[in-house]
Amino acid sequence: MTPDGGTSGPARVEEVLRTEQISMSFGPVVALRSVDLHLKRGEVLGLVGDNGAGKSTLVKILTGLYRPDGGRIYLEGSEIRFRSVQHARQHGIETVFQDLALVDELSVYHNLFLNREQTCGGWFRFLNNRAMRVSAKRFLDDIGVDILSVDTPVAMLSGGQRQAIAVARAVRQENIKILLLDEPLAAMGAKETSLIIGLIKSLSKKSNISIIVIDHNYTHLFEICDRINVIQHGQVTVDKNLSEIRLEELIEFMVQSFRRDVAMGGAKRPEIPSSDC
Ligand SMILES: Nc1ncnc2c1ncn2[C@@H]1O[C@H](COP(=O)(O)OP(=O)(O)OP(=O)(O)O)[C@@H](O)[C@H]1O
Ligand SMILES: [Mg+2]
């Protein structure tokens, strides 16, 4: 059975991910009430919502870090329960978290091969630095990441370049299907932002990777995404293709919702939705 009760068939082939009624609480705090979401192959889905709406919690569930209290996750039509981040990774789900998990002292190419180092030699194995260097350079060129030298320690890179290396590392996984990005553009300058926006676009269009991206800047999301979902009070309340909603409408909707929440005494302090850099 497919999630909607039908049998699996060609109509669902393009859908890589679906969640149904995902819920999660932390003690008395209900982070997710009932999240229904879907993601197509090669699609970029933007998740927006006020602070505390539950976006990061959802990403942590999809990446196997948290187990939801209820609901179902379907990957390419089959129900799955992720046991760990490693388990989700085995199924082609990669996440770039805010801390990026790069090792500052190591070079760009060592970071790209972290825990998957290439070795050479017989009885005594050596790191095959030459091969890793060449392969790292080629890979970064392929996905359009321009770094002066792959020998540079990542500590010396800009925030945008570091983010690009973290994304590149995630998408180097052979079986990657879904990339989850939690606020990849936070605190970035204009140049760095355009580097990451270009990278996200090219990964979805050229590599057919499906991407979920969380950001508070709606202008950026309108540049990157094919579809936008709004999460409010732990639920998806708006699901629109970009052709169905204008930037101004989204901003107006979010502002009105916030005012309504304030009037009802339930609003948390929001991050102001921004429409510029
Ligand atoms: N580990 C945790 N322990 C307790 N409460 C948590 C935990 N993680 C999240 N929460 C709570 O769950 C709710 C949803 O948090 P979450 O981080 O998912 O929101 P968010 O939409 O990502 O917000 P932001 O835009 O600020 O990043 C919030 O009320 C938050 O305080
Ligand atoms: Mg968050």
Side-chain angles (χ1 to χ4, degrees):
M1 292 267 279
T2 56
D4 54 4
T7 50
S8 88
R12 285 253 174 261
V13 168
E14 286 306 299
E15 187 175 276
V16 277
L17 180 77
R18 170 174 287 266
T19 72
E20 288 183 350
Q21 298 176 1
I22 293 289
S23 62
M24 176 140 197
S25 297
F26 298 97
V29 178
V30 181
L32 299 176
R33 209 166 290 277
S34 179
V35 173
D36 294 340
L37 164 151
H38 66 278
L39 182 66
K40 291 186 212 135
R41 199 173 305 283
E43 179 181 51
V44 184
L45 173 67
L47 276 192
V48 307
D50 289 338
N51 299 118
K55 306 176 296 294
S56 296
T57 303
L58 180 62
V59 162
K60 286 172 184 166
I61 289 172
L62 295 177
T63 202
L65 199 59
Y66 291 165
R67 308 222 182 139
D69 299 332
R72 293 164 298 282
I73 300 173
Y74 296 88
L75 199 59
E76 295 179 322
S78 304
E79 187 173 358
I80 183 138
R81 283 164 204 249
F82 296 125
R83 295 188 296 274
S84 62
V85 172
Q86 189 55 30
H87 187 213
R89 183 169 286 152
Q90 282 162 5
H91 283 85
I93 300 184
E94 285 286 333
T95 307
V96 177
F97 291 107
Q98 202 89 48
D99 68 4
L100 303 181
L102 298 175
V103 181
D104 277 352
E105 301 72 32
L106 293 183
S107 68
V108 166
Y109 78 86
H110 279 122
N111 267 280
L112 279 180
F113 281 90
L114 212 58
N115 299 324
R116 286 167 282 161
E117 289 83 1
Q118 291 183 359
T119 54
C120 57
W123 282 97
F124 296 103
R125 307 296 295 170
F126 299 100
L127 285 181
N128 193 345
N129 284 318
R130 202 149 72 135
M132 288 194 286
R133 196 181 281 124
V134 170
S135 157
K137 175 85 181 89
R138 191 177 306 135
F139 181 72
L140 291 177
D141 284 348
D142 280 353
I143 62 171
V145 176
D146 188 17
I147 299 283
L148 209 53
S149 163
V150 292
D151 292 313
T152 314
V154 294
M156 291 175 64
L157 300 180
S158 72
Q161 288 171 324
R162 289 165 58 82
Q163 183 70 250
I165 297 304
V167 171
R169 183 165 176 260
V171 299
R172 266 201 80 244
Q173 296 288 345
E174 268 168 28
N175 66 338
I176 177 149
K177 295 181 187 124
I178 298 170
L179 177 64
L180 307 172
L181 300 170
D182 193 350
E183 303 201 32
L185 305 170
M188 281 197 191
K191 209 169 138 200
E192 300 186 321
T193 297
S194 75
L195 168 74
I196 301 302
I197 285 180
L199 179 56
I200 294 173
K201 280 186 185 169
S202 111
L203 287 173
S204 73
K205 298 301 166 257
K206 283 196 216 149
S207 312
N208 223 15
I209 296 172
S210 308
I211 301 174
I212 296 181
V213 54
I214 296 174
D215 204 275
H216 286 283
N217 186 311
Y218 301 165
T219 306
H220 294 156
L221 286 178
F222 267 66
E223 242 186 276
I224 310 169
C225 297
D226 301 301
R227 197 154 54 83
I228 299 273
N229 278 8
V230 178
I231 297 202
Q232 293 175 303
H233 307 297
Q235 277 178 301
V236 175
T237 53
V238 175
D239 175 15
K240 296 269 187 206
N241 288 316
L242 236 56
S243 55
E244 298 171 317
I245 189 165
R246 287 181 302 113
L247 175 61
E248 299 72 29
E249 284 173 334
L250 179 63
I251 294 173
E252 182 59 20
F253 174 82
M254 296 304 287
V255 170
Q256 291 300 339
S257 302
F258 176 64
R259 288 199 182 125
R260 231 178 359 256
D261 282 350
V262 171
M264 290 167 70
K268 299 179 189 173
R269 190 172 59 83
E271 192 155 319
I272 304 300
S274 58
S275 59
D276 55 23
C277 298

